[in-house]
Each structure stands twice: as C-alpha cells, then as structure tokens.
Amino acid sequence: MKFFADTAEISEIEELAEAGLLDGVTTNPSLIAKSGRNFLEVTKEICSLVDGPVSAEVVALDHDTMMKEAEALRRIADNVCIKVPLTIDGLKTCRKLTGDGTMVNVTLCFSANQALLAAKAGATFVSPFVGRHDDNGFDGMDLIRDIRLIYDNYLFDTEILAASIRHATHVLECARIGADVATMPPKVIKSLVNHVLTDKGIEGFMADWGKTGQTILTDK
Ligand code: E4P
C-alpha cells in the first residue's frame, strides 16, 4: 500500500520524504487555507520534494472553469494530479483530463456507486473518505471493502486512495482489504512506528549495554 501525506506543510513533507515513507501528497482547499501559503507556490514546492503524485484540487463547480483551473494546475509540474469533486461536472472533467494523459483524483467519494462512476470516467484515483463516513454513522471500512470488490469484479485500473484516515487501525484495515493507497495526516504515518514493546526492548538493551562498559565507536 502506498503512503500519501495529507498535508500542505512543507516541513512535515520533507521529514517523511527523508525517511523514505512518502509515495505522494494530497492537498485540499482546507489544507491550503491552513498552511497560509499561496496555492500555486506551495504546490510547486511540494512537487519538487516528492516524485509521486501531488493532488491539487480545483475549486470551480462547472466543467468549463474546472478545465481552466486544471490547465493552470497541471502547468506547475509533471507530477501534479488534478483533484475533482465527485459530481457530473467533476466526472466530465476527469474523463477529459485522463484522456489527455493527466492524472486525476476524484474526491469526496462516500458510496461504492460513486466509486463505480469514477472508475467509468477513467479516474487515476478515487478518494473514499473513511473518517467522515464513520463520523456520520456508517462504516468507512465497508465502503473500502465494497469498492475493492467492485473494482476487482470488473478489473478497473482506478486506484483506491483511502482518505480521511484518522488513526493506525484505519491504516491496518485498509492494508488488509487491499486499498492501493492511504493518504494520512503526517502524525498518523509517524504513529505507525509506535509499540510499547519496541520502547521496552530498547530500554532493556541500553541498560545491558551500559553494563558492558564498551563503545562501538573507538576513535574519539
Ligand atoms: C483527501 O484527499 C482529503 O484531503 C482528506 O483525506 C480529508 O480528510 P479529513 O476528513 O480529515 O478532512
């Protein structure tokens, strides 16, 4: 499963990229607003830090203006992936852009039928929002499971990009089901390293090593 960071904060992206934990980045208008940065500038900077897809979202609601915005966004870098909402205009824009060889992420997916439409429109990625689905009394993992089943039934190439991931258990379940990608806040990616027995093990090894009085590095 690929890991995308769901953020527009440069320092967080740099840290994860250095650790080799980043296959791409997703942003949305709320994350751009939170960053306080200019959308085009920060997207360009992010694209230079990661080799993989960087999702940048259009804000128009009609197809013609979406296409104009997508044109401006895809000029930023080759790894820009245009993010469009799951509406008829968004799907129309998706079909046109992927037909031209541009990557498209169809976002705000809350049902398996919507995901079916995104795949039929040729989306590169579909983004089902797990956490927001849970928040509204549904099971976000059932959504991922249904989309996986449907995409496998018809051999769709569209990748399932599990979004709105809130915690480590979401990540584990997505990996078990076979989501292609999970986009997560950096703190969730970093939390995956945590295990009490790892901490305890390090503590024990350090204590025993201290008793030996040895050092590995001999030259001072
Ligand atoms: C996906 O691409 C979205 O940016 C994101 O995952 C939304 O997550 P949220 O529900 O935590 O805002």
Side-chain angles (χ1 to χ4, degrees):
M1 187 166 71
K2 285 174 266 191
F3 279 13
F4 288 3
D6 199 25
T7 183
E9 300 299 330
I10 297 295
S11 57
E12 294 179 332
I13 293 167
E14 279 173 339
E15 187 186 7
L16 291 168
E18 273 169 25
L21 295 175
L22 224 46
D23 301 299
V25 172
T26 51
T27 65
N28 62 38
S30 306
L31 293 170
I32 296 297
K34 193 173 160 203
S35 78
R37 298 274 313 269
N38 172 279
F39 182 26
L40 301 183
E41 281 172 19
V42 77
T43 304
K44 189 171 183 175
E45 202 172 336
I46 296 170
C47 286
S48 72
L49 294 172
V50 293
D51 294 330
V54 175
S55 288
E57 190 160 343
V58 297
V59 290
L61 299 177
D62 67 284
H63 169 65
D64 289 343
T65 321
M66 278 183 194
M67 283 304 296
K68 287 182 191 143
E69 291 180 350
E71 196 47 56
L73 294 172
R74 69 176 169 183
R75 271 199 301 267
I76 294 174
D78 288 344
N79 56 335
V80 166
C81 174
I82 306 297
K83 209 172 177 189
V84 299
L86 216 157
T87 60
I88 293 295
D89 284 70
L91 294 172
K92 213 168 143 186
T93 305
C94 172
R95 165 58 67 202
K96 182 88 186 59
L97 290 171
T98 53
D100 290 347
T102 300
M103 289 186 286
V104 176
N105 175 357
V106 179
T107 190
L108 290 166
C109 172
F110 290 94
S111 80
N113 277 337
Q114 288 180 320
L116 184 54
L117 295 180
K120 288 180 76 65
T124 318
F125 301 103
V126 66
S127 289
F129 277 37
V130 173
R132 292 192 199 185
H133 208 59
D134 289 354
D135 293 345
N136 283 278
F138 301 97
D139 185 340
M141 286 308 150
D142 279 348
L143 177 60
I144 303 294
R145 211 170 279 114
D146 282 349
I147 300 172
R148 181 73 283 156
L149 177 70
I150 291 167
Y151 281 12
D152 288 349
N153 281 349
Y154 298 102
L155 304 176
F156 283 121
D157 290 334
T158 302
E159 294 192 34
I160 302 171
L161 196 173
S164 188
I165 297 288
R166 302 272 164 78
H167 47 70
T169 309
H170 275 158
V171 182
L172 179 62
E173 284 300 306
C174 282
R176 280 186 174 141
I177 295 166
D180 301 286
V181 190
T183 188
M184 306 163 250
K187 70 166 192 289
V188 173
I189 298 182
K190 288 202 269 180
S191 78
L192 302 180
V193 82
N194 297 339
H195 200 290
V196 65
L197 293 180
T198 303
D199 297 341
K200 221 174 145 186
I202 290 174
E203 204 179 291
F205 287 156
M206 290 307 99
D208 290 340
W209 178 247
K211 289 178 207 155
T212 71
Q214 298 180 49
T215 56
I216 294 176
L217 304 176
T218 47
D219 50 335
K220 298 254 160 80

